[in-house]
Amino acid sequence: MLWLHPILQLAALLIAIRVLFMGINRFRFQHLKQKCPFNWKGHVKQGKIAAWLWMAGLVLGLYMAQHSWGALALTGPHYTAGMIMWPFILIGLVTGYLLQKPSGKQPGLALVHGVANVFAFVLALYQTWSGVEAVRLFLL
């Protein structure tokens, strides 16, 4: 059962890579005035999936750590980075939901959305590394 957390998080990261590249195109179009394709519906749908998988994986990771080991912070930096990551995921989700409504252009909100999600993505990369270390220490 402990393997469900890393599997969910890896799936979220793989989806997030695709969403990030779509978001980069949106940034280039909206802020740099470059012509490039942007799959709006795909970005919204896959972005929600990635963010909700990250949140589900985070909750599951906390639950499994408490249930299996009786403590939350045993994984040290992996736990800490996860606690730093969740507000960025939440900001990305809330701003994403606001941006999906057809209420005109909101470049400032889109920028906040993108920055929050880039921070979440960078933290997810770190989480991948620290998670591998946690698996080596606690599961193998």
Side-chain angles (χ1 to χ4, degrees), residues 8-22:
L8 273 178
Q9 300 303 60
L10 181 60
L13 181 64
L14 293 174
I15 295 166
I17 290 168
R18 179 161 165 74
V19 174
L20 175 68
F21 281 107
M22 286 188 267

Side-chain angles (χ1 to χ4, degrees), residues 65-86:
Q66 183 64 41
H67 182 266
S68 298
W69 304 320
L72 293 177
L74 286 178
T75 56
H78 185 70
Y79 168 81
T80 302
M83 293 298 97
I84 294 169
M85 185 178 173
W86 82 261

